[in-house]
Amino acid sequence: MKILVTGATGYIGKRLIPLLIQNKHQVICCVRDKLRADESYKNESQIEIIEADFLKPETLKNIPKDIDVAYYLIHSMSNSSKDFESLEEKCAKNFKTCLETTKVKQVIYLSGITNEEELSKHLRSRQNVEKILESNHYATTIFKAGIIVGSGSSSFEIIRDLVEKLPFMIAPKWLNTKTQPLAVRDVLTFLSGAAGHNKLYNKTYDVFGPEVLTYKQLLLQFAEVRNLKRYILTVPVMTPKLSSYWLYFVTSTSYKLATSLVDSMGVQIIGKPSNINEILKVSPLTYKQAVSLAFEKIEQNSIISSWKDSMVSSGRLPNNLHKYVNVPKYGCFKDYKERPVQNPNKTIDKIWAIGGKNGWYYGSFLWRIRGYIDKAVGGIGLRRGRTNPTELNAGDALDFWRVIFADKTQQKLLLYAEMRLPGEAWLEFKIEEGVLKQTATFRPRGLWGRLYWYSVLPFHGFIFKGMITKLSKTQ
């Protein structure tokens, strides 16, 4: 079958595509920016990459007419806009209008469980999208999930931050809210198995794990898997705003995502039973099994996708990476350094391993201080880390940077700063004719931007010098 996947660079989309390829489908990856498409897709005969933005109907002409199935995986959990509900509604309407001009037979949508009378804004929005997607032109199959547990998922990483950093927690009362966590591999089994399955046409299913657990139990069971002893005291005095700040400062999440999570975690998420497990032959994993498998992936350095690589996770950088590939030349301050390299390939490997647990090779404590300062003023800090310790792709998060361009064959890496700055900043590494060229570019915004540059200039002098020296040496 010919299958359209929207949200192809998202957490679920990136994991679903290999399964569809494995099942011998022809996959159309729908992305807003081709730079963000996985490099491996370019050499895959079963994959076609197209650019389309469902907020811009004029771009949807790129969608083929002869598709059989379409996955709608567009969500905005971490969208920085206060008007995300209308944006999600607009996306869904444009998607539907476009798909009704094609030969598509089935649209599959991953939504959220909405069985309570009181729903969070995001769950209300997803419920609204379900209604919008209904059509007389094609059938819909809707899966409604709660907490998704897997390496790189936002819920998994936030729970991990809390459990591994805090032996004792004074936590908000929403930790007593009940939910039914579901392993990401089970979500993917449901989604991939539904393609072309006519028994599922025009059906809606809640999908969930075998246990009903409170968020407090999620934390404690996570600790058991990690062989950690943890103590949690829940108190009623933490308001939603205080709870959001609590998550923001303790975990690697952004404040906007923390606010969205707190809003959602106040709502009980319990699914309605159905026969979907029997139809698709799925035996959902327990929560502990899901956590254990997630750590197997982490230890094998085989995390396919992470919520941190979402372009809206920081609220700093729009989705169009092309705009930032060409570093400005005028009205900017630059710190340029170059060094001959002994072994270009080994130097490139070191550059591709920069950041995260590996650090920035020189003045690591100063990088950490800059991260703390950024976090204190509402930025993302350094705790976002990186998804893979040795691989980088355009769109990936890298501490408080975003990867704009990454090509080992061209021996070039370009980063854009997502930290809080009175201006814009780029950091570029490239090797030409055996010489490593390192350029930090800052385009100031007004007087404060210029004052900022001169205030950090003394630190740049030895940080960037030390970094390029370490990178150029292979021993």
Side-chain angles (χ1 to χ4, degrees):
M1 290 186 292
K2 197 169 189 176
I3 298 178
L4 176 75
V5 178
T6 66
T9 59
Y11 179 73
I12 295 295
K14 271 180 144 181
R15 295 174 181 237
L16 177 63
I17 290 166
L19 294 179
L20 298 178
I21 296 299
Q22 186 178 312
N23 292 337
K24 309 300 182 184
H25 297 302
Q26 189 70 29
V27 179
I28 311 298
C29 292
C30 187
V31 297
R32 280 183 284 190
D33 190 333
K34 281 189 176 182
L35 276 180
R36 291 204 62 212
D38 194 292
E39 285 292 317
S40 64
Y41 294 172
K42 297 173 184 177
N43 303 317
E44 176 56 66
S45 60
Q46 289 174 246
I47 292 180
E48 179 184 348
I49 302 169
I50 63 169
E51 281 190 341
D53 185 341
F54 288 97
L55 287 174
K56 300 175 181 177
E58 66 274 12
T59 68
L60 305 187
K61 62 181 182 295
N62 296 326
I63 293 176
K65 301 296 183 183
D66 58 342
I67 54 176
D68 301 297
V69 176
Y71 285 91
Y72 190 74
L73 302 175
I74 300 172
H75 299 307
S76 62
M77 184 66 175
S78 53
N79 198 304
S80 59
S81 172
K82 293 181 180 179
D83 198 25
F84 74 89
E85 290 173 281
S86 65
L87 293 178
E88 286 199 332
E89 183 174 314
K90 185 178 179 181
C91 274
K93 286 180 177 178
N94 289 338
F95 172 86
K96 177 181 177 179
T97 300
C98 174
L99 267 287
E100 287 183 335
T101 67
T102 71
K103 296 179 180 179
V104 69
K105 301 178 185 67
Q106 180 190 27
V107 167
I108 302 170
Y109 174 49
L110 179 61
S111 185
I113 293 175
T114 53
N115 295 327
E116 299 298 311
E117 291 184 9
E118 293 291 329
L119 298 175
S120 68
K121 289 181 181 179
H122 281 86
L123 286 176
R124 283 201 307 269
S125 182
R126 292 191 182 186
Q127 191 176 55
N128 183 44
V129 168
E130 293 173 29
K131 295 174 183 177
I132 292 170
L133 293 180
E134 292 176 0
S135 172
N136 293 323
H137 179 83
Y138 55 75
T140 57
T141 301
I142 297 171
F143 292 112
K144 306 172 77 161
I147 295 292
I148 295 176
V149 182
S151 58
S153 75
S154 58
S155 55
F156 175 87
E157 295 298 338
I158 287 169
I159 290 172
R160 182 183 180 184
D161 275 344
L162 292 171
V163 170
E164 294 187 352
K165 291 176 181 176
L166 302 175
F168 177 75
M169 298 176 224
I170 299 177
K173 62 182 179 180
W174 48 255
L175 253 64
N176 294 319
T177 303
K178 293 179 180 179
T179 186
Q180 280 184 286
L182 180 65
V184 67
R185 66 174 56 196
D186 291 327
V187 173
L188 296 170
T189 303
F190 285 121
L191 289 172
S192 60
H197 202 310
N198 56 20
K199 285 186 179 180
L200 306 184
Y201 283 8
N202 294 316
K203 298 287 180 63
T204 298
Y205 298 95
D206 288 355
V207 289
F208 45 86
E211 305 153 298
V212 176
L213 302 170
T214 65
Y215 288 103
K216 182 176 180 178
Q217 288 173 314
L218 295 185
L219 292 167
L220 293 175
Q221 288 195 17
F222 192 102
E224 288 176 20
V225 172
R226 301 297 287 158
N227 294 316
L228 297 169
K229 192 70 175 176
R230 293 296 181 256
Y231 302 92
I232 302 173
L233 174 65
T234 56
V235 294
V237 295
M238 293 185 78
T239 65
K241 190 168 186 177
L242 280 174
S243 298
S244 300
Y245 279 121
W246 180 70
L247 274 185
Y248 168 65
F249 282 112
V250 175
T251 72
S252 57
T253 185
S254 67
Y255 177 71
K256 292 181 177 67
L257 180 55
T259 303
S260 301
L261 288 169
V262 169
D263 186 37
S264 299
M265 287 173 176
V267 179
Q268 179 172 274
I269 300 176
I270 306 296
K272 291 180 179 179
S274 69
N275 63 342
I276 187 61
N277 291 356
E278 289 74 29
I279 294 173
L280 294 181
K281 297 179 173 58
V282 181
S283 298
L285 300 172
T286 66
Y287 174 65
K288 282 188 174 182
Q289 287 173 326
V291 172
S292 296
L293 287 170
F295 275 102
E296 284 184 19
K297 291 292 184 183
I298 292 169
E299 289 162 5
Q300 295 165 3
N301 293 327
S302 57
I303 302 176
I304 297 173
S305 61
S306 170
W307 72 275
K308 291 178 282 190
D309 295 331
S310 165
M311 293 299 290
V312 295
S313 66
S314 69
R316 286 278 296 163
L317 187 65
N319 282 281
N320 190 356
L321 293 181
H322 286 90
K323 180 179 177 182
Y324 298 88
V325 168
N326 297 316
V327 181
K329 296 181 179 178
Y330 303 104
C332 297
F333 296 111
K334 290 183 183 288
D335 183 297
Y336 174 78
K337 290 177 172 59
E338 62 178 48
R339 295 283 189 280
V341 295
Q342 300 166 0
N343 187 319
N345 290 330
K346 286 187 177 180
T347 295
I348 281 295
D349 287 340
K350 289 177 75 173
I351 291 171
W352 250 247
I354 203 166
K357 290 183 179 179
N358 207 30
W360 291 78
Y361 296 114
Y362 190 83
S364 296
F365 74 100
L366 291 172
W367 286 96
R368 286 194 295 270
I369 290 171
R370 183 62 183 88
Y372 295 143
I373 292 171
D374 190 56
K375 195 81 172 175
V377 296
I380 52 181
L382 286 177
R383 283 182 281 184
R384 195 168 57 172
R386 51 182 293 160
T387 300
N388 189 291
T390 58
E391 296 179 12
L392 290 174
N393 293 290
D396 285 358
L398 178 55
D399 291 337
F400 45 43
W401 301 87
R402 179 74 62 177
V403 178
I404 301 297
F405 183 86
D407 191 324
K408 278 192 171 183
T409 59
Q410 295 187 38
Q411 298 189 315
K412 177 180 174 180
L413 175 67
L414 178 63
L415 309 176
Y416 177 83
E418 292 194 295
M419 65 194 86
R420 296 285 178 178
L421 289 171
E424 295 178 292
W426 290 258
L427 182 58
E428 180 183 76
F429 304 94
K430 65 179 177 180
I431 296 177
E432 292 180 334
E433 298 178 350
V435 176
L436 172 60
K437 299 178 180 180
Q438 174 186 286
T439 309
T441 303
F442 181 67
R443 180 161 61 185
R445 185 170 56 246
L447 177 62
W448 285 112
R450 287 163 174 78
L451 290 173
Y452 170 81
W453 174 262
Y454 287 116
S455 69
V456 298
L457 196 57
F459 300 101
H460 284 178
F462 64 88
I463 289 176
F464 288 140
K465 179 181 177 181
M467 184 164 64
I468 193 172
T469 300
K470 291 280 189 180
L471 288 171
S472 61
K473 295 179 179 178
T474 54
Q475 294 180 348

